[in-house]
Amino acid sequence: MAQEEVHDAGLALGLSLGGGSSSAHRSNNSSRLTLWEAPSAEPSLTLSMPDDPTMTGRTASGGVSSMSVGGAVKRERAEEAELGEMVSSTAVVAAEEDDDGSTRKKLRLTKEQSALLEDRFKEHSTLNPKQKVALAKQLNLRPRQVEVWFQNRRARTKLKQTEVDCEFLKRCCESLTEENRRLQRELQELRAIKFAPPPPPPPPPNNAGQHPGTPSAAAAPAPAPPFYMQLPAATLTICPSCERLSGTAATAAGKVDPDRPKATHHFFNPFTHSAAC
DNA sequence: TGTCGATCTTCCGTTACCTCA
DNA sequence: ACTGAGGTAACGGAAGATCGA
């Protein structure tokens, strides 16, 4: 891929002076200077190897080179600058240079890091920049890594949900197919009755109630309602804003059976995942 | 007030690394 | 020891939103 094309050939070097001093550097908005309070009282010197993908385009002065490689990377540079290169060596596995300088070593998050990220994700699936930086600081990771983790986590959640929805639709489809077959059979039977010769004399009373045209009706138990009918279908309406089916219309009309459970279930629409409704 | 460019955020598809059976 | 599959960190690009000139 072209990712190596943007790697700064130079050795990225972040230098911060300790003793509680503040360092000033440029954020990604080059017209703005931000002050950063050094997190450590100790003088620190952080070196990153040239092929570290997260250091793309950074100049040796810790600023941002003129090479434009996309908003996310530029943003990350600024965020890292704000963090003052506080990332520990344990977090940065991706720094070994290969012979051709084209490797992309991969960080493996620790259990503690994953657990904390999961906790935060449960609270909110997105992070604002402040939260991101704070969390990165807490985890001893780069903000970009936290950001990427949340992106991938959202993608995994979505994929999982898609699988669940797919399974649900499959069952709906099977149920509808079976129901269709049943109705077709019933239709054929009704047609047969309509065009059949006059019925024989009425059957004995113990057979009362059995349909003359359905000899198997008494023997066969009543079929279970199809899968889709187990849903409160009568209360389903399509929400115009999100195209989901919902159960509000019948409820609003006051025609809902009080014994029936409230139709709070959001019928699945595979094409919209909006939670706005 | 409308337009334009820069920037940011998120999503998506993909790549590449790592682990494990 | 080798290998293929699966998981996932990381990437680049597109689209949409926001902001200042």
Side-chain angles (χ1 to χ4, degrees), chain A residues 38 59 66 89 140 167 217:
Chain A
T59 65
S66 61
S89 59
N140 218 14
E167 188 60 31

Side-chain angles (χ1 to χ4, degrees), chain A residues 174-254:
Chain A
E174 286 166 4
S175 173
L176 284 168
T177 304
E178 181 53 39
E179 174 72 353
N180 187 39
R181 278 200 208 102
R182 192 184 66 76
L183 289 171
Q184 291 284 354
R185 278 200 303 271
E186 204 173 307
L187 183 62
Q188 274 184 356
E189 288 166 2
L190 288 171
R191 279 182 178 148
I193 292 167
K194 187 177 176 184
F195 298 111
N206 62 343
N207 274 350
Q210 178 180 347
H211 196 288
T214 55
S216 63
F227 177 67
Y228 73 89
M229 287 181 74
Q230 294 169 25
L231 297 168
T235 65
L236 295 175
T237 55
I238 294 179
C239 168
S241 64
C242 68
E243 295 184 329
R244 282 174 191 259
L245 288 168
S246 65
T248 54
T251 308

Side-chain angles (χ1 to χ4, degrees), chain A residues 10 13 29 40 57 59 67 79 93 108 117 129 143-144 182 194 208 212 224 244 265 271:
Chain A
L13 189 155
N29 183 346
S40 164
T59 65
M67 179 161 46
E79 284 162 347
V93 182
R108 202 72 191 178
L117 285 164
R144 170 67 181 160
R182 192 184 66 76
K194 187 177 176 184
R244 282 174 191 259
H265 173 70
F271 304 109

Side-chain angles (χ1 to χ4, degrees), chain A residues 46-198:
Chain A
T46 306
L47 296 176
S48 293
M49 300 306 285
D51 71 330
D52 183 350
T54 65
M55 299 296 288
T56 53
R58 185 180 294 245
T59 65
S61 63
V64 176
S65 77
S66 61
M67 179 161 46
S68 176
V69 291
V73 176
K74 281 187 279 185
R75 180 164 22 92
E76 180 200 357
R77 285 187 217 125
E79 284 162 347
E80 283 184 24
E82 286 182 25
L83 276 179
E85 305 293 348
M86 49 148 303
V87 180
S88 74
S89 59
T90 58
V92 184
V93 182
E96 301 293 328
E97 181 168 18
D98 208 4
D99 289 334
D100 56 358
S102 63
T103 53
R104 176 162 106 185
K105 291 285 168 62
K106 198 160 161 179
L107 158 77
R108 202 72 191 178
L109 296 173
T110 65
K111 275 185 182 175
E112 291 75 18
Q113 287 171 325
S114 296
L116 185 52
L117 285 164
E118 281 290 347
D119 282 348
R120 295 301 166 85
F121 185 82
K122 277 178 196 163
E123 294 168 16
H124 286 109
S125 63
T126 57
L127 290 175
N128 64 36
K130 259 188 183 175
Q131 291 173 319
K132 193 203 311 173
V133 171
L135 185 55
K137 212 167 187 173
Q138 194 174 349
L139 291 167
N140 218 14
L141 294 172
R142 287 184 293 274
R144 170 67 181 160
Q145 288 176 296
V146 173
E147 180 181 304
V148 165
W149 187 91
F150 268 75
Q151 282 173 10
N152 288 324
R153 187 65 178 76
R154 282 192 293 267
R156 284 196 290 273
T157 300
K158 189 175 180 182
L159 182 65
K160 222 172 201 172
Q161 186 59 45
T162 301
E163 286 170 2
V164 169
D165 295 341
C166 188
E167 188 60 31
F168 178 81
L169 283 176
K170 226 166 92 182
R171 289 171 64 194
C172 271
C173 183
E174 286 166 4
S175 173
L176 284 168
T177 304
E178 181 53 39
E179 174 72 353
N180 187 39
R181 278 200 208 102
R182 192 184 66 76
L183 289 171
Q184 291 284 354
R185 278 200 303 271
E186 204 173 307
L187 183 62
Q188 274 184 356
E189 288 166 2
L190 288 171
R191 279 182 178 148
I193 292 167
K194 187 177 176 184
F195 298 111

